[in-house]
Amino acid sequence: MDFHQSRVKLMNKNVTKTTILVSGAAGFIGFHVVRKLLNEGFVVIGLDNINDYYDVNLKYGRLRETGIEQSSIKYGEMVQSTKYHNYRFIKANLEDRQAIENLFSTEKINIVCHLAAQAGVRYSIENPHTYIDSNIVGLLNILECCRHNKIEHLVYASSSSVYGMNSKIPFSENDRVDHPVSLYAATKKSNELMAYTYSHLYQLPTTGLRFFTVYGPWGRPDMAPMLFATAISEGKSIKVFNNGDMKRDFTYIDDIVEGIVLTMKVIPNKNSETPFCSLFNIGNSQPVALMDFIQTLEDCMGRKAKMEMYPMQAGDVKITYADTTKLEQATGYKPNTSLKDGINCFAKWYKNYYK
Ligand SMILES: NC(=O)c1ccc[n+]([C@@H]2O[C@H](COP(=O)([O-])OP(=O)(O)OC[C@H]3O[C@@H](n4cnc5c(N)ncnc54)[C@H](O)[C@@H]3O)[C@@H](O)[C@H]2O)c1
């Protein structure tokens, strides 16, 4: 593996003495990251406001898997996990500046993995304010706390949506990303600029990860894989946009989590390409036609899908395709889950969870 030793500092610490704050811990990606970090022996603090953008029972279900019971959760109070001695959880809003400042001043946090955000492209058309509160004010509060508490590395979630209508494929970190086609994308692009500024002004090591459609067990009910699985299992119609003429760089959750945890350990320093600041695509680099995804899901669910064809939706793009060379070179990231295996694991979880 080429870890670019001259450009980055590798984390060289006893994991049991390293405390990582994971925001969005009740969310899809955050939950899986928390589990992986706990299994590696890190001390983890999870944060989430458990909002009702989608079914909160799924969020409480994820928390339960990590030993956090719904009945023990109170706003602003730390809860000890009953399953993991090295895990605690706090319910708080990112935009609650006092709550976030209190957390950072009472806990000795080393690394922050900031995944909490108002996600979703389509929802941002109807609910613009939520995106500014959670994604812009939220990140500002996190950046300020990282700056004042000498956090060693802030890894935060960006999105492939920053590429907008980019027609050049695969999408490279060197491509222009100043034509966002949804407010969600604009907030993610703003996050990258805000992180750059804090790296530049305060030498805060930051790494942004641009995720490409992530799927897998405990996935998001507002995203295509879960919407499709639900429609197939209930015998209802799937809404297929742009008449199915779309491709997505679907990435399996375990590959993403592996990449996030590898990234946390590779800390950009003053000799980095951009001092103290990194930005990577994290995808599968194998875009899949939407109709192929549906067919594989039908096979794994053991049932045919009914489909209704619709035109392209506002804010949507036709193809996403990640060039992940930069992340591979920096961290050794190598996604290795085939679509068939990934969908199979997802379908098994889905049938078991919703039976
Ligand atoms: N899943 C994907 O395919 C994908 C693709 C691109 C980018 N992303 C980004 O990755 C991150 C994680 O995504 P996910 O799929 O796990 O989403 P998710 O919605 O499942 O998780 C986000 C969590 O953040 C919490 N949250 C939202 N606003 C908050 C606030 N103001 N204060 C505290 N908590 C808040 C929510 O309750 C939720 O549990 C997000 O930043 C998202 O924008 C995800």
Side-chain angles (χ1 to χ4, degrees), residues 32 182 286:
H32 286 278
S182 68
Q286 289 182 28

Side-chain angles (χ1 to χ4, degrees), residues 214-272:
V214 187
Y215 74 99
W218 296 97
R220 262 176 40 204
D222 61 319
M223 290 182 65
M226 278 276 266
L227 290 169
F228 292 171
T230 304
I232 292 173
S233 72
E234 292 175 0
K236 295 188 180 145
S237 294
I238 294 181
K239 286 185 179 172
V240 181
F241 292 100
N242 205 34
N243 298 311
D245 182 17
M246 284 214 251
K247 282 187 169 182
R248 287 288 176 269
D249 199 355
F250 287 105
T251 318
Y252 189 63
I253 184 68
D254 289 1
D255 291 328
I256 286 287
V257 169
E258 184 74 25
I260 295 172
V261 175
L262 282 170
T263 301
M264 273 182 212
K265 298 173 183 171
V266 178
I267 304 174
N269 64 19
K270 65 176 185 308
N271 300 319
S272 309

Side-chain angles (χ1 to χ4, degrees), residues 192-210:
E192 295 177 357
L193 296 173
M194 291 163 76
Y196 176 87
T197 308
Y198 272 69
S199 294
H200 173 74
L201 289 178
Y202 311 114
Q203 292 75 51
L204 173 69
T206 67
T207 302
L209 291 172
R210 291 177 177 165

Side-chain angles (χ1 to χ4, degrees), residues 92-293:
N93 283 319
L94 290 171
E95 56 273 41
D96 182 345
R97 191 166 143 191
Q98 197 58 56
I100 302 298
E101 283 177 4
N102 287 349
L103 174 65
F104 277 80
S105 60
T106 48
E107 301 290 337
K108 176 71 201 104
I109 296 165
N110 303 100
I111 291 175
V112 175
C113 179
H114 178 54
L115 300 170
Q118 180 55 57
V121 170
R122 288 166 195 161
Y123 189 74
S124 69
I125 314 251
E126 304 293 327
N127 301 277
H129 293 286
T130 320
Y131 288 77
I132 302 303
D133 295 344
S134 294
N135 302 5
I136 302 291
V137 179
L139 179 69
L140 176 66
N141 290 340
I142 293 286
L143 283 167
E144 274 293 291
C145 287
C146 287
R147 164 194 169 197
H148 290 296
N149 294 278
K150 302 268 170 287
I151 294 304
E152 292 157 45
H153 194 186
L154 165 66
V155 175
Y156 65 94
S158 184
S159 162
S160 62
S161 63
V162 298
Y163 288 107
M165 292 298 180
N166 199 10
S167 53
K168 180 194 140 284
I169 49 168
F171 297 171
S172 148
E173 293 88 348
N174 299 325
D175 295 346
R176 274 184 72 178
V177 286
D178 42 17
H179 298 104
V181 291
S182 68
L183 188 66
Y184 169 68
T187 63
K188 289 294 179 182
K189 168 68 183 167
S190 310
N191 286 176
E192 295 177 357
L193 296 173
M194 291 163 76
Y196 176 87
T197 308
Y198 272 69
S199 294
H200 173 74
L201 289 178
Y202 311 114
Q203 292 75 51
L204 173 69
T206 67
T207 302
L209 291 172
R210 291 177 177 165
F211 296 111
F212 285 66
T213 320
V214 187
Y215 74 99
W218 296 97
R220 262 176 40 204
D222 61 319
M223 290 182 65
M226 278 276 266
L227 290 169
F228 292 171
T230 304
I232 292 173
S233 72
E234 292 175 0
K236 295 188 180 145
S237 294
I238 294 181
K239 286 185 179 172
V240 181
F241 292 100
N242 205 34
N243 298 311
D245 182 17
M246 284 214 251
K247 282 187 169 182
R248 287 288 176 269
D249 199 355
F250 287 105
T251 318
Y252 189 63
I253 184 68
D254 289 1
D255 291 328
I256 286 287
V257 169
E258 184 74 25
I260 295 172
V261 175
L262 282 170
T263 301
M264 273 182 212
K265 298 173 183 171
V266 178
I267 304 174
N269 64 19
K270 65 176 185 308
N271 300 319
S272 309
E273 193 181 4
T274 314
F276 300 104
C277 182
S278 294
L279 190 59
F280 299 112
N281 286 335
I282 179 165
N284 200 40
S285 297
Q286 289 182 28
V288 176
L290 195 58
M291 299 312 276
D292 291 343
F293 188 91

Side-chain angles (χ1 to χ4, degrees), residues 39-53:
N39 290 331
E40 287 198 11
F42 286 100
V43 179
V44 181
I45 298 172
L47 177 147
D48 205 294
N49 67 358
I50 321 176
N51 67 44
D52 62 0
Y53 164 60

